[in-house]
Amino acid sequence: MIVHVQKNIPAASLELLGRKLQAAVLTTPERHILITPSSYRSVNGEAAGVEQYIEETFVFADDRQMAALEYTKTKRTVNIGNVAVGGQTDHCIMIAGPCSIESEEQIDQVAQFLVERGIKTLRAGCYKPRTSPYSFQGLGLEGLKMLARVRERYGFSIITEARDATHIDEIIEYADVIQVGAKAMYDQGILRRCGTSNKPVLIKRGFGSTLQEFVQAAEFVLSAGNDQVMLCERGIRTFETKTRFTLDLCGVAWLKAHTNLPLILDPSHAMGYRYGVPDLAKACVAMGVDGLLIETHPNPDVAKSDASQQLNFAQFGAMHDSLRALAQAVGKTMV
Amino acid sequence: MIVHVQKNIPAASLELLGRKLQAAVLTTPERHILITPSSYRSVNGEAAGVEQYIEETFVFADDRQMAALEYTKTKRTVNIGNVAVGGQTDHCIMIAGPCSIESEEQIDQVAQFLVERGIKTLRAGCYKPRTSPYSFQGLGLEGLKMLARVRERYGFSIITEARDATHIDEIIEYADVIQVGAKAMYDQGILRRCGTSNKPVLIKRGFGSTLQEFVQAAEFVLSAGNDQVMLCERGIRTFETKTRFTLDLCGVAWLKAHTNLPLILDPSHAMGYRYGVPDLAKACVAMGVDGLLIETHPNPDVAKSDASQQLNFAQFGAMHDSLRALAQAVGKTMV
Amino acid sequence: MIVHVQKNIPAASLELLGRKLQAAVLTTPERHILITPSSYRSVNGEAAGVEQYIEETFVFADDRQMAALEYTKTKRTVNIGNVAVGGQTDHCIMIAGPCSIESEEQIDQVAQFLVERGIKTLRAGCYKPRTSPYSFQGLGLEGLKMLARVRERYGFSIITEARDATHIDEIIEYADVIQVGAKAMYDQGILRRCGTSNKPVLIKRGFGSTLQEFVQAAEFVLSAGNDQVMLCERGIRTFETKTRFTLDLCGVAWLKAHTNLPLILDPSHAMGYRYGVPDLAKACVAMGVDGLLIETHPNPDVAKSDASQQLNFAQFGAMHDSLRALAQAVGKTMV
Amino acid sequence: MIVHVQKNIPAASLELLGRKLQAAVLTTPERHILITPSSYRSVNGEAAGVEQYIEETFVFADDRQMAALEYTKTKRTVNIGNVAVGGQTDHCIMIAGPCSIESEEQIDQVAQFLVERGIKTLRAGCYKPRTSPYSFQGLGLEGLKMLARVRERYGFSIITEARDATHIDEIIEYADVIQVGAKAMYDQGILRRCGTSNKPVLIKRGFGSTLQEFVQAAEFVLSAGNDQVMLCERGIRTFETKTRFTLDLCGVAWLKAHTNLPLILDPSHAMGYRYGVPDLAKACVAMGVDGLLIETHPNPDVAKSDASQQLNFAQFGAMHDSLRALAQAVGKTMV
């Protein structure tokens, strides 16, 4: 439940009401917003004596609150550099780049390629959430600094991933969009810190996480005051092993109908093999999603991570062309 | 492994070779085709003395044989009435109708609606594979007879489901396309009987079945001599419960790249809720699939099965219009 | 919902009431039992005018009826030869034997071994539900006849599997216990036929089937008048691939608390590798299950199916000894 | 692969070899241990010129290294206070306590109850990894201080969970055993910090994590020099929803056969409902696991988290009695 409370409520009354409702309190220029656990279905007795300050109460069918489409009625807009995503726009943003930044030369090659194609948002991992401690772990801070130089040189918006809470401040300092990785989706150290930042946040769905939990990860950021949140479906883990994960487009249909957050799709990680990525990207665009996250690398075969799923430039270019035509057919514009 | 053997091999030699290779033997006008378990990787010693009759040997990376794209090089064509599906066609066939045939009046309403939209293939269940014995079980033979009358009246191709082997002969007699339901995907009584029929067969993937097993179900039909087989992905069972099943489009990308069978997609059963069906149907068409199976009902709210996922006529019509436009954008034609 | 109706209700009234409630009607020597879909929560208006014939009404929390523990209050007893399973007994029945019967000699070796250990129930497959048509498919009717001879010679109760409905009559004729395989759990051709037999039925859970669906498979048999039904958990399909399936003992705890059917556990198929079978068998016995189904073979390495999971006689014997000691510690007796 | 290298290798040679093999280097009093990604299967050319310093090389079938049973041959021993777990002991340690510490009074009640039963290890959460930001989040540092007082008063070993990396130093300071929660299993901020601590670490399996990934989480701690690691299976997420999770005892059989780490089982979280916990605990003990983690609360119905799965004291006591008898039957001692 969400309760809108007037600004002129006495501080002690607000504090008391918040405590009674076990609510998170978010104060905006217009009002106080009390956000309660889903078990609260009305303010009832808890608001006795302060009813006059209560503007409106919102109750939801399941455990969604700030992210509920029923709350805002329209989709939220997130601004990535000069590009607006979601909201009333017809944009489908293309976010592209290698799995990992590996060297100054590698990232420069990617950057030049993306610039030529008019793509404005670059992804590259610096802190890699590898399952094994004996695999390539990413360039860390050095990588972040390379990304900062690429931004200066080419004017991209940069998105990169926080692996755990120990380096979240660095990520916030260097990135334009903070990516919360699938393996970190429950990491409150990251999520709460993102909530007090003003940078856009892209939250990837944990591959073992329900849609409910996915939305609740966003609630951590939204309730702390940062409304620049996007959700990214990237495949869930199922019994099928011929593909790396299973892209959950039924889930995307649910998110589109039930939440107010822009939806970004990552077919690269879902498929795990480059041959399926273009077809899946088409499927996503046809559903009207707000953006795509696609891995591309100058020479995928020697990539230090995710070698099998990154597209080379020719493959990416062919896919990108076909997506632009398809987007038009469904009333979208690739940006 | 598949071994092509010349027709002029002596019968005893063929029989011996087949036994040594533990092979299924399929004889066509052109040749004998020996199909072996996947553990065989060459004819080696087993063919000693009859090497001269061996035309060609095909070995596959995993346990696919007759359904392997590497075997035929091109996709197989299946003929549904006058409509060719798969192969070199640009067709995306629309198969539509109610979950269950409920009455002469109901099916007539659906038929008229589909005729108006130029749709030529009607689906409707007569033997329902309901989980509970206390739910509506379908009209059975009476329903098949109603479908036959609809065919006469309107000229549709009729597709209906075999629930188990006890009525497979009836289904083969009345239907134009035999549907092997998801719950019957392993039913050898059905599959082997379909193999000796000459009618097209649409095999639905079991919701707990791997892609490997799905393809192997088709092998039962193909190896018995019926090459008119289509595969239908209809959602797999995962941990996510907000939607009924999870449509596995990564799996579709794998099937497209590895098998020679036309692919039909059923977003209705995957989603389980009508609000998501149009978007998912678009995703499927954008991937270039060979057909769709969509449930529609004159009045879904009173449907005797799958009430929540069937589209009413207005919803179906709007979706169908948008799919025709989208199909064009990806070089396909809705038929 | 289940409705107990007195025998003296007029036939027409019974028929009308059954129709109004969409009920299956089972007539026993004591009464008529009307079994309705789970949406019915009371007889309300439907029983107007015949209230006097209604003895009792049973409503259940979810979609269980004849199998509900709340219905019978105590666990049902199933009789396998002279051995009573479930009910008030302290029996844990050991059902053992090879995956497939392969030859007269092989089954005789197994039989002698089991006889020496005092085991009275022999399992062996004749119709194998193999995924691939190119694998060993079982000896079929010939195998059933061999099993009949083993029964004569040694006095075992024989349990063997119906793969599909085409040979269910043969299975019923030759077997003492009819096994409905995991891949056939939804097969109404088999289930309904078992319902009109008076032989015990062991239903294996489909590896992609929910507990709800598992219980409903039993309802097909129970509602047709055969109350000799056992449930067999044999592992479900999950994302984990290091083991063949995942034995669902949480599900067993649920079944034990919510159903009235004896529970048999099959750790062999769940694990898929013999090294884990003894430990899992101990876990099952410690939970107080009513029986075990374990695969054993004179020489597992050359077995024609499930080679990796069958125990040799030494392994089986060591396990059997430890299970007898363990059973005693939890108040059970291995039979 | 693991490479044992003599201490007398020149520093520069060690450094070079480590770099060539992309190895983590762990130096112990006896030797240098180089741990490589699983793709390395021999030292081959990389060791040219320094072969004389190489003591032994260990190669493993899959991606296990320091945790591989083939490496140590015997199970590792972990010391929790005065209690040895794993190794050559016959101990099955009982770790018990409430889901969350809620108040000084509540934890004192639990502590007295456990002391009476001779239980020496107390669990209680301070930082709760709740899915929703609007639920009870735990008492945090205040809770840790309460736990420290309980330890002083009663002499327990205390185990409590690190939710994310922001408070890992606090946890290490206050706890006797660091619990890495299921949602934090991939958190390298936590895992790497645990590696440089000398306190025992209990790693819970992520509910969407494979056994491979589970073991690799342990590798982060082991390779950093802390060999006091235990693995805790607590249920994986499957399609079944009648229970909260599915306890993966097949996985436990695999871990027992393939890793050298003590195994602790948590049936409370797996089941999610108290009625099944005692039976599942018996199953675990019968398998010969090294310990149990069971939730108990003075009054579960008012618990601030996990209310449905915590046992009250009477239930816990009855279970504990039966487990002690059972443990004896399988050659174990509850401690």
Side-chain angles (χ1 to χ4, degrees), chain C residues 61-304:
Chain C
D62 48 18
D63 205 350
R64 292 166 292 127
Q65 286 98 343
M66 298 292 282
L69 186 57
E70 302 93 309
Y71 176 52
T72 53
K73 309 300 184 290
T74 57
K75 196 186 284 185
R76 293 174 187 270
T77 305
V78 171
N79 297 297
I80 301 181
N82 296 324
V83 181
V85 175
Q88 305 305 310
T89 74
D90 68 350
H91 291 164
C92 180
I93 191 171
M94 173 59 84
I95 305 171
C99 176
S100 300
I101 182 166
E102 298 170 8
S103 69
E104 196 99 36
E105 188 196 357
Q106 173 234 28
I107 201 67
D108 206 72
Q109 282 181 279
V110 174
Q112 287 185 29
F113 171 69
L114 297 182
V115 162
E116 284 163 26
R117 299 205 69 89
I119 291 170
K120 302 180 184 66
T121 319
L122 173 68
R123 62 146 286 155
C126 298
Y127 293 93
K128 300 307 298 174
R130 304 304 293 274
T131 305
S132 166
Y134 315 120
S135 305
F136 174 65
Q137 305 290 322
L139 299 183
L141 181 56
E142 188 191 349
L144 289 176
K145 289 178 179 167
M146 289 182 193
L147 285 177
R149 288 193 287 273
V150 168
R151 174 172 43 206
E152 265 176 59
R153 218 173 301 139
Y154 299 97
F156 285 115
S157 294
I158 300 289
I159 172 168
T160 194
E161 175 175 2
R163 186 177 62 199
D164 59 65
T166 56
H167 51 258
I168 177 65
D169 287 330
E170 279 175 24
I171 299 285
I172 290 175
E173 182 186 345
Y174 282 91
D176 300 298
V177 182
I178 306 152
Q179 179 179 322
V180 182
K183 288 177 181 166
M185 195 202 84
Y186 301 107
D187 190 324
Q188 296 186 21
I190 292 176
L191 293 172
R192 290 174 187 273
R193 182 66 190 82
C194 287
T196 60
S197 161
N198 60 2
K199 292 207 169 164
V201 182
L202 179 140
I203 305 176
K204 284 197 154 188
R205 181 181 184 184
F207 42 72
S209 304
T210 61
L211 294 166
Q212 177 72 75
E213 292 170 345
F214 188 20
V215 173
Q216 284 169 323
E219 296 281 342
F220 277 96
V221 183
L222 294 166
S223 66
N226 184 352
D227 68 351
Q228 296 288 294
V229 180
M230 296 169 283
L231 297 178
C232 178
E233 158 64 22
R234 44 76 74 213
I236 58 172
R237 188 164 266 170
T238 69
F239 62 79
E240 182 54 58
T241 58
K242 292 280 189 197
T243 61
R244 191 175 180 193
F245 292 98
T246 301
L247 192 66
D248 182 10
L249 293 188
C250 289
V252 170
W254 184 87
L255 290 167
K256 199 175 160 184
H258 292 86
T259 75
N260 55 32
L261 302 173
L263 302 176
I264 310 296
L265 271 281
D266 172 356
S268 300
H269 280 87
M271 188 69 200
Y273 300 96
R274 67 181 64 89
Y275 72 81
V277 173
D279 266 351
L280 289 169
K282 284 183 206 164
C284 298
V285 169
M287 283 190 77
V289 302
D290 302 295
L292 291 172
L293 197 68
I294 309 265
E295 290 190 342
T296 184
H297 189 284
N299 186 357
D301 291 340
V302 302
K304 294 195 176 176

Side-chain angles (χ1 to χ4, degrees), chain D residues 57-116:
Chain D
T57 297
F58 305 81
V59 176
F60 310 107
D62 48 17
D63 205 352
R64 292 166 293 125
Q65 286 100 341
M66 298 291 283
L69 186 57
E70 302 93 310
Y71 176 50
T72 53
K73 310 298 184 285
T74 58
K75 195 187 284 185
R76 293 174 187 269
T77 306
V78 170
N79 297 296
I80 301 181
N82 295 324
V83 181
V85 175
Q88 305 305 311
T89 75
D90 67 351
H91 291 163
C92 181
I93 190 170
M94 173 60 84
I95 305 171
C99 176
S100 300
I101 181 166
E102 298 170 6
S103 69
E104 196 100 35
E105 187 196 357
Q106 173 236 26
I107 200 67
D108 206 73
Q109 281 181 281
V110 174
Q112 288 185 26
F113 171 68
L114 297 182
V115 162
E116 283 164 25

